Every structure is written in C-alpha cells, then in structure tokens.
Amino acid sequence: MKNIKTDILVIGAGSAGLSVAAGAAQMGAHVVLLEGHKMGGDCLNYGCVPSKSLIAAGNAAYAQANASRFGVADVVPNVDYAAAMAHVQDVIATIAPVDSQERFEGLGVQVLREFGEFISPNEVKAGDSVITARRIVIATGSSPLVPPIPGLDEVPYLTNETLFDLRERPEHLLIVGGGPIGMEMAQAHRRLGSQVTVIEGAKALANDDPETAAFVLEALRNEGIEIAQDALASEVRGATGAIEVEVKDGRVFKGSHLLMAVGRQSNVDSLNLAAASIETTSRGIKVDEHLKTTNSRVYAIGDVAGGLQFTHVAGYHAGVVIRSAVLGLPAKAKTAHIPWATYTAPELAQVGLSEAEARTKYGARLEVVRHEYADNDRAITERKATGLIKVMVVRGRPVGASIVGAQAGELIGLWALALANEMKMSQIAAMVAPYPTLNEVNKRVAGTYFSPRLFDNVWVKRAARTVQRWLP
C-alpha cells in the first residue's frame, strides 16, 4: 500500500473537480486528483457537450426543411443518424484534451485513475494508495435518476449516459420527464426525423416561469412533438421496438425506444462518507454557505452538493473553494445571481427570482417590465421574432429576469452580471447595444422601465417646456 500526502485531494474529474485541481496546482498547492471513470465527467461525455452537439445537428436539419421563409426552397433533409452521432463524438474528442490526464499532469497535478473511499476524516483509499490530505474536495457529480416504475427493470431504456451510443435513429422515442434534458432531446430527435412523445408526471418545464415556458411548449407541439402532462408513469412493458408506458389515469403511450429523463441523483454511495463524519441529505452532501461539509476539512461542490446542477455552478463552486482552501480567504457560495438556460428553440433562460417568486417576496413593491422580440429588428430579419423578456424590478434594481426566444442563453448573461453586482436599471439603460442585435431587447426593456417615468410624468413635461422657453 502506497501512502501519499498532499495539500488538496480532489475526488472526481468532472467540471467542478478539474477547475479546483487546475486552479490549486497553478497557485502552487500540491494536488492529487482521483477519477475512476472518464476524465471530463458527465458534462463532456454525457451531458452538455454531446447534447448541444446533437441539438446543432437537429437545427441543421430543421433549417433545410424550413428555408422557404428566406426565399430558399425547402428540402426534405437526408438525415444520417449515425453520422450525426459521429459528429457528437467528434466534438467530444475535440474538447477532451482540455480535460485530459496528460494536461493536468502537465499542470503539476498527480492524477490517479481510481475511485476513492474515505477510511478516516482526512484519509482516502484509492486502489493501492492511501492519500492523506490537508483539505479534501468531493466533486463526484451526479447520475441519472431512474425511478422504481413497475416493469422498468425488464424493459431496455436509455439515459443520457447511453443515448449517445445509439447509431440507429429511434422510430418513435418515448421520453419520461419533461425537464430541460427531456425537452432538448425531444426537439433534437424530432428535427432528426423521429416521432417523439414526452410523458411528464406533473408540468413540463416546471422550474421555469410558466409564461415563458409556454412559448417553448407551443413551439415543440407545433413541430409535432406530443407532450403529455399530469401523466405519471405507473407501468412500463415491452421490448426495443415495441415499448409501452402506461400512466396513472390509464393512458398508454407506445414507441420504439424509451429515454428516462426524470432528474439526477448525487454520486455518494461508494464514498463511505460515514468514515469521515460527513452527513448527507435527500439531495446530496450537506454543505454550509462555504461549501464545507460536516467535516470542516472536506468540501463538496457541483452536483454532489445537492443544489443547482449546472456546469457553470460547478465552476463557480470551484472558485469559492480555491479562495477558501488554497488562499485561506473568506468565501461564500450564493445562488441569487446564478442563471440557467434550456437550449430548445426558442431558448429559455432565467436568473434570480421569477415573477411569481418576486410577487411573493416583494408584493406591491414589485414592477414587472416586458419587451417583445417582435419589436426587435434583428429578430425580424432572421424570422425569430417570437419571444419575450421580462425583468422583475424593486426600487430601481432588477431582482430577476426571464427570457424566452432566440439566444436567450446568451442574453441572460447581462442580467446575471446585474444581479451579481447589484446594478440599477439606469446602468442597463445607459448601455449602448450595436444595431441590429438581439441584445437590444435588454436595452429596450430597461427603456420600458423608464418610459412612464419620463414621458408620462407631468413634472418632466413642465420642466422641458420651461427649459425650451429659456434656451437661446
């Protein structure tokens, strides 16, 4: 048995763990990184990268079939599903060197390709090594949640970890789960030629603002995707090519393939956390505002910490831990400024409080300002004028923003910046956006906030008339 002593031990080489390892090593700390599976974790291999790559393939097919709006003849796209999946794998391979063992060893990180388990509060066993660390960071991520639906254990099903292994296009894809993953893969596969049915036990896109989510649901239905809501799966039966999902109210949905997309569960089972006095909750490892576990020498970050499960949150958590564990500076993790996006067409994005949350918290003090994509010239030129931005404002400061429309995931960044720095609407209004860009919707919604204060204000009009009389 080999004994290794280190400053920082990182368990898990996904987005969160890699960010900590790279930052800490480059700042001079001795870092050991454990990964028993694939470098890059879920995001690179099964999540953000492959899903967005497949979405891009679907968008290319959709563009061919819907070009007549621009004076170009529509054509029926000749989709080679295997080639589309090869494109996905090529994108993964292109990005993989950034997350590779070789790169991190070049940064000075000692990489062990083993799973780890605690054997004491500051010791982890990995293969034939025992690592003793001053600080330990758990970044083991999450895995697809597969609920115990009767019959599911006897029926072949896909998750995001196996979907991208397909090479034959599903004739009719049944998707259980109407969250972002389910909706993104539904639209991508519909555009690539599959029939698609989404089966959601409650409301589809339930974590987003209902008004903006409705735009997405209408768009997907218009493309021929069946979306069944309040349809809780009660039984699954059949085999590949002939699968049936029965829901509690007796409806039966038939398809050729089944994708389970009902959520995620934190990867904690193999860590032997009890040996390190680390407590868990139903969502993951219990952490405080500093991302420390109940063992003060151990941090948990990213999906395994049980909060918002996004790659950019993992990167943000890594920055908090680097400030604390490497530099010894006070650092707290916050959530109010964390945005998220669903990459359907139209895209859906949110940061801060939704309208309902803001009304509950602020009541009559809340103002909701809105601007339609239909008034944006760039959106009109690209035939993408369906969409909406609304910003929740309290005493001149935004407390949340919801966007649905083209490039919503890009546009939400300005509002994440505003919330992170407690900016005022006047600072947004002072921005000059190039014309014509979609970013003008951000500028214009700020203008909408000030319009009644300037143009409907009797005192402003009187002042303007007075100034005009005195000007030479």
Side-chain angles (χ1 to χ4, degrees):
M1 190 69 67
K2 294 185 292 186
N3 293 306
I4 301 171
K5 292 187 177 181
T6 188
D7 297 321
I8 308 288
L9 169 62
V10 180
I11 307 175
S15 299
L18 292 177
S19 297
V20 170
Q26 290 177 96
M27 288 182 176
H30 180 211
V31 180
V32 174
L33 174 65
L34 300 182
E35 178 51 66
H37 193 36
K38 292 185 177 182
M39 297 289 290
D42 186 81
C43 180
L44 173 64
N45 298 288
Y46 313 115
C48 308
V49 171
S51 65
K52 303 315 168 276
S53 301
L54 195 67
I55 287 170
N59 291 347
Y62 182 82
Q64 290 186 14
N66 294 271
S68 59
R69 298 172 297 168
F70 304 98
V72 180
D74 291 343
V75 297
V76 177
N78 182 14
V79 175
D80 183 336
Y81 189 79
M85 285 299 190
H87 148 72
V88 170
Q89 295 304 319
D90 181 66
V91 172
I92 293 172
T94 301
I95 297 174
V98 178
D99 294 347
S100 67
Q101 178 174 343
E102 292 75 16
R103 174 174 178 258
F104 278 79
E105 288 176 339
L107 294 174
V109 178
Q110 183 176 355
V111 181
L112 302 180
R113 301 304 295 274
E114 302 282 355
F115 292 105
E117 63 172 323
F118 284 89
I119 57 175
S120 79
N122 68 333
E123 292 177 303
V124 171
K125 182 179 182 297
D128 62 355
S129 299
V130 172
I131 304 103
T132 304
R134 293 166 53 83
R135 297 289 184 271
I136 299 173
V137 181
I138 303 173
T140 49
S142 63
S143 300
L145 173 65
V146 180
I149 301 172
L152 188 59
D153 57 345
E154 300 176 1
V155 173
Y157 63 87
L158 302 161
T159 68
N160 73 296
E161 293 186 352
T162 56
L163 175 65
F164 303 105
D165 293 333
L166 288 180
R167 291 299 178 267
E168 292 187 10
R169 180 177 60 202
E171 179 181 345
H172 189 155
L173 181 62
L174 301 175
I175 301 176
V176 175
I181 295 173
M183 290 306 188
E184 289 178 357
M185 291 300 93
Q187 189 174 45
H189 278 83
R190 180 65 187 133
R191 291 182 167 192
L192 291 171
S194 298
Q195 291 293 114
V196 179
T197 299
V198 177
I199 305 164
E200 167 55 47
K203 300 298 180 187
L205 298 174
N207 290 332
D208 286 280
D209 173 77
E211 182 182 12
T212 54
F215 281 78
V216 176
L217 300 182
E218 181 181 9
L220 268 59
R221 288 188 173 111
N222 287 341
E223 291 188 24
I225 298 170
E226 181 182 6
I227 302 172
Q229 301 186 91
D230 299 311
L232 187 64
S234 60
E235 184 181 353
V236 179
R237 51 185 177 264
T240 299
I243 293 175
E244 295 184 355
V245 176
E246 183 172 342
V247 301
K248 279 202 169 181
D249 62 12
R251 286 177 287 172
V252 176
F253 301 92
K254 299 180 180 181
S256 61
H257 292 71
L258 175 62
L259 171 63
M260 299 301 298
V262 297
R264 312 282 299 173
Q265 59 184 357
S266 298
N267 295 329
V268 297
D269 291 345
S270 64
L271 292 171
N272 192 25
L273 296 175
S277 300
I278 297 172
E279 297 177 13
T280 61
T281 69
S282 59
R283 292 181 56 85
I285 295 176
K286 182 179 180 180
V287 296
D288 63 14
E289 59 187 358
H290 307 284
L291 300 174
K292 289 184 177 182
T293 69
T294 46
N295 176 339
S296 63
R297 292 181 176 272
V298 181
Y299 297 81
I301 62 175
D303 286 7
V304 78
L308 295 171
Q309 295 183 326
F310 304 111
T311 297
H312 49 283
V313 173
Y316 168 64
H317 281 180
V320 172
V321 167
I322 288 170
R323 289 194 296 275
S324 176
V326 180
L327 300 177
L329 300 174
K332 297 180 180 179
K334 302 177 182 179
T335 58
H337 64 301
I338 301 294
W340 66 85
T342 299
Y343 297 96
T344 47
E347 292 185 3
L348 185 61
Q350 175 72 40
V351 67
L353 300 178
S354 67
E355 180 178 352
E357 292 168 337
R359 289 196 184 283
T360 299
K361 184 172 182 177
Y362 293 106
R365 289 179 291 164
L366 175 69
E367 293 181 67
V368 179
V369 289
R370 314 155 68 89
H371 186 70
E372 304 281 345
Y373 269 61
D375 294 327
N376 180 269
D377 292 353
R378 182 61 178 272
I380 295 170
T381 67
E382 297 187 359
R383 302 294 188 187
K384 296 178 180 178
T386 299
L388 166 73
I389 177 173
K390 59 180 181 179
V391 180
M392 282 51 74
V393 186
V394 177
R395 294 177 179 172
R397 296 184 188 273
V399 297
S402 305
I403 308 177
V404 60
Q407 296 186 32
E410 305 291 337
L411 298 178
I412 202 68
L414 176 65
W415 301 101
L417 174 70
L419 266 63
N421 294 280
E422 299 182 348
M423 294 170 66
K424 298 179 180 180
M425 291 297 283
S426 58
Q427 293 169 290
I428 306 298
M431 175 189 72
V432 177
Y435 174 87
T437 58
L438 290 175
N439 200 33
E440 286 185 288
V441 301
N442 286 332
K443 166 82 171 181
R444 291 287 295 278
V445 78
T448 300
Y449 175 75
F450 287 106
S451 289
R453 289 164 168 79
L454 294 175
F455 305 134
D456 300 335
N457 188 311
V458 64
W459 295 105
V460 171
K461 292 181 178 180
R462 288 179 181 177
R465 286 196 295 268
T466 300
V467 170
Q468 290 304 309
R469 285 197 297 268
W470 286 98
L471 282 175

